[in-house]
Amino acid sequence: MKFFDLGLGEPKRRAELEAAFRRVLDSGWMILGPELEAFESEFAAYCGVPHAIGVGNGLDALTLALRAAGVGPGDEVIVPAHTFAATWMAVDAVGARPVAIECDPATFTVDAASVGAAITPRTKAVIPVSLYGHPVDMAPIMSLAERHGLFVLEDAAQSHGALDHGRRTGSLAHATAFSFYPTKNLGALGDAGAVTTADPALAERLRMLRNYGSREKYVHEEPGVNSRLDELQAAFLRVGLAGLDAATEARRERADRYRRGLEGVPSVRVPGEAEWARHVYHLYVVRAAERDDLQARLQAAGVPTLIHYPNPCHLQPAFARHGYRAGQLPVAERLAQEVLSLPLWPTMPLTDIDRVIEAVRSA
């Protein structure tokens, strides 16, 4: 059994990707061309906003969005302690300080009350993370941000197509950062990312920053970076975007099968889904008090698993200078000891789901 399958061996998907490759090859245009323009337009429309700006990867999407919003040295940015390290690295990259908060242990997302308790006079921005595919309840956070004059950047690297009260992730914050790493719900065949926004000035600055700080060739208005989503990855992403909703439904079907098979099993807690949310299950993450023992038993039964994430950000060596100590964020620290990701991908055979369920129940 696999943990994940990109589906590159599926005849229809392979043919569509090969056609996209030939289209780019025949065009002779590799950077900032018609494929990127088309993908940006299609992805912006999918998310329900006017602008999508393709960049090199998800970390650059976060970092450049913060830069475009003017977040910098001396500022504080509120972030979850339980998230992938890139969320924190973007804050560090602009010279700001990450201020860690806890998340809901059922949905793994932050709420407005936790954000509000962390606001200080130095707070400039908030990065709510729609982790594992569950969206953040964004409206209360946006109301709070409006009262305090804060920039809200949603980290939606794992929640392409998720719904918050019927609205898609990517349209709910001042800006939203996406990763298109190959294993994401919408994945390229290499690194890729994007920022979506309804703010035309922010979008224009992002386009400049990703391209050496230049709007006009050889005129550099400020130090930028080289972080441009290339034509080939944009073409591949257009293929994936066309099938994203169908793939999401397939993920949800498999997640529901897991839920029905594992609810009531005393050794694990299945992930929650708020009544207002549409979870897209980038990962199917259970919690187990005896996680390491369970993982070992599943491995012995031929079931691969992964841990997302075994070390909370506030205790990572990369962020030691911020002065966090063990015990300060007990929910995040407990989650790091309990979370376990079970195999899940859109075309995963249902018989494999049943096999995993049986292995968990027997562990």
Side-chain angles (χ1 to χ4, degrees):
M1 184 187 299
K2 303 174 182 178
F3 180 80
F4 185 80
D5 189 335
L6 288 174
L8 299 181
E10 298 168 18
K12 182 176 183 293
R13 175 168 167 78
R14 191 174 187 88
E16 290 171 339
L17 292 172
E18 288 176 347
F21 174 79
R22 288 193 299 272
R23 194 168 66 240
V24 174
L25 195 64
D26 291 344
S27 77
W29 201 332
M30 302 298 151
I31 302 290
L32 297 180
E35 292 291 342
L36 176 59
E37 183 178 345
F39 172 69
E40 289 178 334
S41 176
E42 291 161 6
F43 189 61
Y46 179 82
C47 293
V49 290
H51 307 284
I53 302 90
V55 296
N57 53 70
L59 176 56
D60 283 358
L62 289 163
T63 304
L64 293 175
L66 290 175
R67 280 192 62 185
V71 180
D75 294 330
E76 292 180 349
V77 180
I78 298 170
V79 292
H82 184 65
T83 183
F84 181 54
T87 312
W88 285 51
M89 288 181 180
V91 177
D92 264 7
V94 299
R97 180 178 187 273
V99 174
I101 61 174
E102 301 277 32
C103 68
D104 179 342
T107 65
F108 305 107
T109 60
V110 300
D111 61 21
S114 297
V115 171
I119 294 174
T120 76
R122 290 189 172 186
T123 305
K124 185 70 173 285
V126 184
I127 307 181
V129 181
S130 295
L131 198 65
Y132 305 142
H134 193 293
V136 174
D137 187 7
M138 196 64 71
I141 293 175
M142 294 303 293
S143 295
L144 182 68
E146 184 176 359
R147 293 198 299 273
H148 291 272
L150 307 179
F151 176 67
V152 180
L153 170 62
E154 183 180 7
D155 181 342
Q158 300 181 1
S159 62
H160 316 74
L163 295 181
D164 168 8
H165 293 90
R167 295 178 60 196
R168 278 204 177 107
T169 297
S171 64
L172 304 164
H174 296 120
T176 304
F178 290 90
S179 166
F180 303 124
Y181 184 77
T183 60
K184 302 297 187 185
N185 294 37
L186 176 58
L189 297 187
D191 274 323
V195 180
T196 58
T197 183
D199 184 337
L202 188 72
E204 181 64 19
R205 187 146 191 257
L206 280 162
R207 293 187 183 98
M208 177 184 65
L209 288 171
R210 74 174 176 185
N211 189 38
Y212 300 101
S214 176
R215 277 182 265 242
E216 178 184 348
K217 194 170 185 178
Y218 302 131
V219 177
H220 304 277
E221 300 176 34
E222 62 178 295
V225 298
N226 175 12
S227 183
R228 302 170 299 197
L229 175 56
D230 67 69
E231 287 290 280
L232 188 57
Q233 299 305 335
F236 290 153
L237 285 166
R238 294 181 68 195
V239 172
L241 182 59
L244 179 56
D245 286 342
T248 295
E249 287 308 312
R251 285 179 182 270
R252 286 180 57 81
E253 178 185 0
R254 284 151 181 79
D256 186 62
R257 198 176 187 95
Y258 268 138
R259 179 190 59 77
R260 288 184 282 110
L262 295 176
E263 274 189 334
V265 177
S267 61
V268 298
R269 299 183 200 177
V270 298
E273 181 178 37
E275 61 181 12
W276 46 263
R278 181 174 181 266
H279 200 316
V280 295
Y281 293 100
H282 169 61
L283 295 165
Y284 194 84
V285 181
V286 299
R287 294 175 56 198
E290 303 296 330
R291 190 267 314 281
D292 294 345
D293 180 64
L294 174 60
Q295 185 178 40
R297 289 175 181 271
L298 292 178
Q299 182 65 35
V303 175
T305 60
L306 291 174
I307 299 171
H308 300 86
Y309 300 96
N311 300 300
C313 286
H314 67 288
L315 300 181
Q316 290 280 4
F319 310 118
R321 66 186 175 281
H322 298 301
Y324 290 101
R325 301 179 307 279
Q328 283 184 285
L329 293 144
V331 173
E333 292 168 32
R334 186 171 69 252
L335 289 176
Q337 296 171 351
E338 293 183 354
V339 292
L340 186 67
S341 300
L342 303 181
L344 179 67
W345 68 91
T347 57
M348 183 178 180
L350 298 181
T351 53
D352 281 2
I353 297 282
D354 294 339
R355 182 181 159 194
V356 176
I357 291 169
E358 181 56 33
V360 173
R361 296 181 73 93
S362 301

